[in-house]
Amino acid sequence: MQKNEMHFTEHFDRFCSALPSGLLLVSLDEDGRPNAMTIGWATLGIIWRRPICAVLVRPSRYTYGCMEATGDFTVNVPTEELANEVALCGSKSGRDLDKFAECGFTATESSHVKSPGIAECVITYECSVVQKNDVVPEHFIPDIDDSFYASGDYHRVYFGEIKAAWAAEDI
Amino acid sequence: MQKNEMHFTEHFDRFCSALPSGLLLVSLDEDGRPNAMTIGWATLGIIWRRPICAVLVRPSRYTYGCMEATGDFTVNVPTEELANEVALCGSKSGRDLDKFAECGFTATESSHVKSPGIAECVITYECSVVQKNDVVPEHFIPDIDDSFYASGDYHRVYFGEIKAAWAAEDI
């Protein structure tokens, strides 16, 4: 899909409305192979005078090792037609299969980071990790701790500086 | 200023374009008195299936004690006409003066949180803290650590669930 560079604040509605069904977080594993994980949580804004996209990854995930190894990532907004692929990337682990191959995704070379984008998605944010920290179990309200962390596996927050953002021509 | 409830994704451009000159973070001190601090950093999005506004506060700040005491806050987007007030709230401490009185701000009762909004601002987000954690010094890229933390005082990140968002009718 042909994409043009955009300002990171554009299409925020599309970004947020797609989140509940899932965006695709791409990073590279230790062998340099791209891996995609479905995420329903992310924020955009400005921190440290830089445009920032923050994403959360549990330590148990294959993507966690990729993020730690690569230090950068892309966030990709899929179309509704990719619902099956988004479901697969949210239920299968990159430890067990090549999700790019399984989904028929085309990896696109990024302009500023090592992790590729996904050609079939309508928006791609290229992000370089500038800070990471972990959520603090005792600082959650009980509702959230009960709903999302019954088995622990507390998220690491990755603050990615948005080095470039790309949008398909027709959105 | 008359405000109507809006979806939190509306006016994201305005939110981001106002950030470099400053938004106003309001919380209550231990005596229940509202205090405003100018912030240039914040993000919006969805985490834990909730709309989230994340803000950063240094432990040395008067606002830090307010956030810890109150557990909620509002983020207010000022007009350009409030440049002097924004400058004051970014340079003076609530320890030394009543910034609401000094700026002539009108505190508006919030619908879902204890901290009030600022009537003179065009957008107000009401936020309840659902998680807080601290940035990790050793996880910064050197550029950021050198630029913003030469004297330490590393930020705490407050993740506020946006309980309501309000916008002036004419923006």
Side-chain angles (χ1 to χ4, degrees), chain A residues 8-9 12-13 16 19 40-50 56 129-136 139-141 143-144 148-149 156-157, chain B residues 8-9 12-13 16 19 40-50 56 129-136 139-141 143-144 148-149 156-157:
Chain A
F8 82 99
T9 58
F12 183 64
D13 274 356
C16 285
L19 269 169
W41 306 348
T43 67
L44 293 181
I46 298 173
I47 311 178
W48 308 294
R49 291 190 204 137
R50 296 153 199 253
L56 290 84
V129 176
V130 295
Q131 161 67 199
K132 56 190 178 187
N133 65 4
D134 299 317
V135 297
V136 177
H139 287 171
F140 273 120
I141 58 169
D143 264 9
I144 291 182
F148 298 107
Y149 301 106
R156 173 157 284 190
V157 186
Chain B
F8 82 99
T9 58
F12 183 64
D13 274 357
C16 286
L19 268 169
W41 306 348
T43 67
L44 293 181
I46 298 173
I47 311 178
W48 308 295
R49 292 191 202 136
R50 297 154 198 251
L56 289 82
V129 177
V130 296
Q131 161 69 200
K132 56 190 177 188
N133 64 4
D134 299 316
V135 297
V136 177
H139 287 172
F140 273 120
I141 58 170
D143 264 9
I144 291 183
F148 298 106
Y149 301 105
R156 173 157 286 189
V157 187

Side-chain angles (χ1 to χ4, degrees), chain A residues 6-162:
Chain A
M6 67 166 194
H7 192 261
F8 82 99
T9 58
E10 290 180 73
H11 305 301
F12 183 64
D13 274 356
R14 179 75 177 251
F15 174 85
C16 285
S17 63
L19 269 169
S21 47
L23 309 185
L24 293 164
L25 173 64
V26 174
S27 53
L28 298 172
D29 67 15
E30 288 179 351
D31 301 324
R33 200 180 49 142
N35 180 64
M37 181 182 86
T38 300
I39 57 169
W41 306 348
T43 67
L44 293 181
I46 298 173
I47 311 178
W48 308 294
R49 291 190 204 137
R50 296 153 199 253
I52 295 285
C53 176
V55 298
L56 290 84
V57 181
R58 295 186 192 265
S60 67
R61 298 284 185 262
Y62 188 66
T63 292
Y64 185 91
C66 296
M67 299 283 276
E68 293 295 315
T70 310
D72 65 44
F73 59 92
T74 66
V75 172
N76 300 271
V77 179
T79 59
E80 288 179 11
E81 287 70 43
L82 294 174
N84 289 338
E85 288 78 1
V86 169
L88 184 142
C89 292
S91 58
K92 301 288 185 183
S93 171
R95 284 187 194 98
D96 306 319
L97 82 170
D98 179 337
K99 293 199 260 187
F100 264 68
E102 189 77 14
C103 292
F105 286 155
T106 311
T108 56
E109 195 174 348
S110 291
S111 60
H112 288 74
V113 301
K114 297 187 290 295
S115 302
I118 298 175
E120 290 76 12
C121 289
V122 287
I123 299 173
T124 298
Y125 304 89
E126 299 183 16
C127 304
S128 177
V129 176
V130 295
Q131 161 67 199
K132 56 190 178 187
N133 65 4
D134 299 317
V135 297
V136 177
E138 56 268 30
H139 287 171
F140 273 120
I141 58 169
D143 264 9
I144 291 182
D145 204 33
D146 295 347
S147 300
F148 298 107
Y149 301 106
S151 55
D153 204 13
Y154 287 90
H155 287 93
R156 173 157 284 190
V157 186
Y158 291 91
F159 296 87
E161 178 180 352
I162 302 170

Side-chain angles (χ1 to χ4, degrees), chain B residues 50-66:
Chain B
R50 297 154 198 251
I52 295 287
C53 176
V55 298
L56 289 82
V57 181
R58 293 187 194 265
S60 65
R61 298 284 185 263
Y62 188 66
T63 292
Y64 186 91
C66 297

